[in-house]
Amino acid sequence: MIKLSVIEIITRIENQETFHAVVEDYSFSIKIDDYVPYACAAVHGGHHFSKDLWDNCLHTEYDRWYEEDPCTGQMISGLPITLIAHDSRFEYDLNRAPETAIYETAWGKTLWKKPLSQEKKDRALAKHDNFYKVVLSLIVKLEELFGSSVFYDMHSYNWKRWDREVPVFNIGTTNVDEEKYRAEITQWQDILDDVQLPIAQKVHCKINDVFQGNGYFLKYVTSNSLNTLVLATEISKIYADETTGRIFPEVVTAVQDLLKYYIKAHAHRFYDRYHTPKI
């Protein structure tokens, strides 16, 4: 891995270079081992929280961890193109539009002892903007090369906060073209509904059950592409103890291995159907 500026990252994408880099402010990393018609993102996987925010934050580190999506970056790390956030969503939320990306309250609790300075807000929003500049460059390149692509938008959620049975996997499809992509959505559901994991719960995958796919990442990619499907995929935190923050590495590794295989298989089916042959 190397450290690059946003401009350098975009230039490498435009030149169709393979590389593994962290952006110079360490807010996210990108890996491109090969140019393939699919990419994976973990926009809530980050936990870094700038030190100059600590004393002003009313949420504990555990509070933040609880609402983040730990290990989702590791889960997609075996795929050839990945975008992984390193900053906590409590500084700025990459899955929200810029005007709402900085929280004042979070999950019913005031976040800051005193309002953030404009300088800190501007710093956070600059990182948000830089991330999406890279996303746009990647969208353009993949559609230029393949005519179509799939973005797998990986998240996790706290299943114990629900007072009913909830699925291990959820696909949010409200903001994608469900009629056009029905077969691909159903295929992804069928795949996730049948995976084997080292957990006590029966694995099920449902569509729009706990989340409906209303995130900014999905909306941004969809609105800035011509023929790209985004699959907002949630896994319940069956890979951790939500009450203590303990991670179960055997479950995380199992999910990582499964996604490495099944995302490739699903994406190639999508490509076979939607790619535009070069003349």
Side-chain angles (χ1 to χ4, degrees), residues 10-255:
I10 291 172
T11 299
R12 289 185 180 227
I13 293 172
E14 291 174 344
N15 292 335
Q16 203 174 325
E17 298 178 35
T18 56
F19 64 100
H20 189 184
V22 62
V23 71
E24 56 190 356
D25 62 10
Y26 295 99
S27 58
F28 69 91
S29 59
I30 179 171
K31 178 186 71 172
I32 303 181
D33 286 337
D34 188 17
Y35 282 83
V36 292
Y38 57 96
C40 303
V43 299
H44 282 162
H47 186 62
H48 177 262
F49 195 60
S50 296
K51 189 174 182 180
D52 60 5
L53 299 175
W54 293 359
D55 290 342
N56 192 34
C57 185
L58 291 166
H59 287 234
T60 66
E61 183 179 8
Y62 169 76
D63 292 336
R64 299 195 300 273
W65 176 91
Y66 185 77
E67 302 298 350
E68 295 161 351
D69 298 350
C71 301
T72 50
Q74 180 182 341
M75 290 174 188
I76 63 171
S77 62
L79 281 303
I81 302 178
T82 59
L83 281 162
I84 298 174
H86 300 309
D87 287 340
S88 172
R89 66 191 300 191
F90 281 79
E91 182 174 354
Y92 58 98
D93 193 331
L94 287 170
N95 214 28
R96 288 188 175 193
E99 58 269 20
T100 59
I102 298 177
Y103 301 156
E104 293 182 4
T105 62
W107 289 270
K109 180 180 176 181
T110 301
L111 183 56
W112 309 109
K113 296 175 184 177
K114 59 182 181 180
L116 289 182
S117 68
Q118 192 59 49
E119 180 184 3
K120 289 184 173 61
K121 290 181 180 180
D122 290 344
R123 179 186 66 186
L125 291 177
K127 292 191 280 188
H128 186 286
D129 182 59
N130 283 335
F131 178 82
Y132 279 100
K133 286 177 180 175
V134 172
V135 171
L136 181 60
S137 178
L138 186 58
I139 294 167
V140 171
K141 176 54 66 175
L142 294 186
E143 289 205 340
E144 172 193 317
L145 291 172
F146 305 107
S148 65
S149 63
V150 192
F151 278 65
Y152 298 86
D153 177 21
M154 196 70 195
H155 295 268
S156 67
Y157 76 96
N158 299 298
W159 66 276
K160 290 184 179 180
R161 77 188 335 161
W162 295 78
D163 59 2
R164 62 175 176 86
E165 184 178 352
V166 290
V168 170
F169 290 102
N170 179 91
I171 306 168
T173 64
T174 300
N175 289 286
V176 301
D177 189 337
E178 295 182 84
E179 182 176 353
K180 178 179 180 179
Y181 296 119
R182 175 51 54 195
E184 289 68 39
I185 293 168
T186 300
Q187 285 172 354
W188 188 229
Q189 180 187 20
D190 290 344
I191 287 170
L192 295 178
D193 200 49
D194 195 40
V195 300
Q196 301 297 312
L197 294 174
I199 59 174
Q201 295 98 316
K202 172 66 177 175
V203 176
H204 288 297
C205 178
K206 294 187 178 181
I207 295 174
N208 299 329
D209 183 83
V210 289
F211 295 96
Q212 289 71 47
N214 290 315
Y216 182 70
F217 181 83
L218 182 152
K219 292 178 181 177
Y220 182 89
V221 174
T222 301
S223 64
N224 285 280
S225 61
L226 297 174
N227 199 23
T228 291
L229 169 63
V230 184
L231 290 169
T233 305
E234 301 266 356
I235 182 172
S236 66
K237 283 184 184 164
I238 43 82
Y239 60 89
D241 184 335
E242 293 174 18
T243 61
T244 66
R246 180 183 293 275
I247 300 293
F248 306 144
E250 78 282 11
V251 183
V252 175
T253 302
V255 175

